[in-house]
Amino acid sequence: MAQAIRFYETGSPDVLRWEEVEVGAPGPGEVRIRHEAVGLNFADTYFRTGLYPAPLPAGMGVEAAGVVEDVGPDVTDFRPGDRVTYTGSPLGAYSTERVMSAQHLLALPDAITFETAAAMTMRGLTTAYLLRRIHPLRSGDTVLLHAAAGGVGLIFTQWAKLLGVTVIGTVSSEEKAEIARMHGCDHVIIYTREDVATRVREITDGTGVPVVYDSIGKTTYRSSLDALARRGLLVCFGTASGPVPPIDAMELAVKGSLFVTRPALADYIADPAERAELAGELFDHVAAGRIGIGINQRYALADAAGAHHDLESGRSIGSSVFVL
């Protein structure tokens, strides 16, 4: 019998339940997957708390890697035994096995382990669209990245260096600052000690940066705006501290004709061809060792509540995975 994490009401991590589930056979266009590793992402907490609505009861998680066990009618791109990874699918990745649509799957190169895939598919594709789709970055540009020691942050910094981009990163502690530096962050601001916008202006000789990448939201929104150069772009791609406040259009004009966008990964991987292109570039970098994926926390899937507590308390560094 397969097992899975499910929740019947929104709330704290304690609403998560470890249960036996019936998986069944794949239908048309579907596959049955045996998971080897499951990704833990901050977005998972948004579903659990109700910030992202989901019909209840529901499974949890949108990212995992494993082996195809069976395929249903009309599935031509995959067969039993194939190594695969995925992200952005319907909830249910926190499970030992599941049936899902084959359209969400990506073939996993042999050079990338299941744990690495589970740690990087969502974060890596997020980094891919941030760096390759949102703004036309050029070698020599300087950007500000919040949460530089987080799962996305460590991948982002390494990829940005490959593009010749200088990264100013924010972190909460000296420990996280050292990790960010080890992954190529050029300037690290410990926001608990320093004013972020002031330091960015000092580093950029008063100009500010053309782009700020902000996954924190409510508590960093103001400093992000103040760190931007004239006609700069604020990319709000997460809300770890809560939603950003209402946007005052006139304030954007006063601060230098600024731009604000709130992108979602789903809209950058909805087209299969674009998803394949972004994933291909990501997988090539990782397989070749140009981008390293550090896994700093591993949990048993049954301990999902504890993992969520760690994630929301800020104790996690880099990527986390559930191992099966």
Side-chain angles (χ1 to χ4, degrees):
M1 180 72 75
Q3 294 173 298
I5 293 289
R6 294 177 60 77
F7 65 112
Y8 294 77
E9 60 183 337
T10 58
S12 74
D14 298 328
V15 303
L16 301 176
R17 301 185 188 179
W18 179 238
E19 300 181 341
E20 290 191 344
V21 294
E22 190 69 46
V23 176
E30 295 181 330
V31 299
R32 177 173 174 142
I33 299 176
R34 182 186 78 253
H35 288 151
E36 297 287 345
V38 174
L40 172 62
N41 297 286
F42 210 95
D44 299 343
T45 70
Y46 300 158
F47 287 104
R48 195 205 71 233
T49 60
L51 180 62
Y52 289 175
L56 299 178
M60 174 57 65
V62 296
E63 176 182 39
V67 178
V68 174
E69 293 277 87
D70 193 13
V71 301
D74 304 324
V75 175
T76 58
D77 293 335
F78 299 97
R79 60 185 180 182
D82 283 352
R83 304 171 77 252
V84 295
T85 186
Y86 65 85
T87 190
S89 63
L91 292 174
Y94 285 22
S95 59
T96 57
E97 298 178 51
R98 73 181 298 192
V99 167
M100 61 183 292
S101 173
Q103 68 179 347
H104 298 296
L105 301 181
L106 292 163
L108 182 62
D110 291 339
I112 300 176
T113 69
F114 291 117
E115 287 191 18
T116 297
M120 75 164 195
T121 302
M122 174 177 279
R123 296 172 179 88
L125 288 175
T126 296
T127 300
Y129 87 74
L130 290 175
L131 286 173
R132 308 302 274 164
R133 293 293 188 272
I134 293 288
H135 181 83
L137 292 171
R138 298 170 296 181
S139 179
D141 282 345
T142 298
V143 301
L144 173 63
L145 171 70
H146 288 290
V152 170
L154 298 182
I155 298 173
F156 181 104
T157 299
Q158 294 176 81
W159 202 330
K161 302 311 296 177
L162 297 175
L163 300 175
V165 173
T166 297
V167 179
I168 304 171
T170 73
V171 297
S172 62
S173 67
E174 186 58 52
E175 178 189 11
K176 291 186 176 182
E178 183 58 29
I179 291 171
R181 294 187 191 100
M182 288 172 57
H183 286 77
C185 198
D186 298 277
H187 306 276
V188 182
I189 301 172
I190 301 178
Y191 66 80
T192 54
R193 303 179 193 169
E194 306 171 278
D195 181 80
V196 172
T198 299
R199 281 292 294 129
V200 169
R201 295 287 174 182
E202 291 172 354
I203 293 167
T204 60
D205 296 325
T207 301
V209 293
V211 190
V212 173
Y213 298 92
D214 190 341
S215 61
I216 306 302
K218 181 179 179 180
T219 61
T220 50
Y221 175 74
R222 186 66 48 202
S223 63
S224 293
L225 287 182
D226 291 341
L228 284 169
R230 181 177 287 113
R231 293 166 59 180
L233 171 65
L234 170 55
V235 184
C236 300
F237 70 99
T239 52
S241 68
V244 300
I247 295 173
D248 181 344
M250 183 54 67
E251 181 183 29
L252 300 182
V254 170
K255 287 182 176 294
S257 299
L258 305 180
F259 297 84
V260 178
T261 185
R262 204 320 182 177
L265 172 61
D267 293 315
Y268 289 85
I269 60 173
D271 177 75
E274 184 169 31
R275 183 183 63 171
E277 182 178 352
L278 292 174
E281 188 171 359
L282 168 66
F283 291 168
D284 284 349
H285 284 317
V286 173
R290 292 185 293 269
I291 293 177
I293 307 298
I295 301 173
N296 295 297
Q297 295 82 212
R298 290 175 171 83
Y299 302 90
L301 189 54
D303 190 28
H308 277 222
H309 276 297
D310 287 350
L311 190 63
E312 291 177 301
S313 69
R315 288 194 291 268
S316 300
I317 297 176
S319 296
S320 304
V321 297
F322 296 104
V323 293
L324 289 82

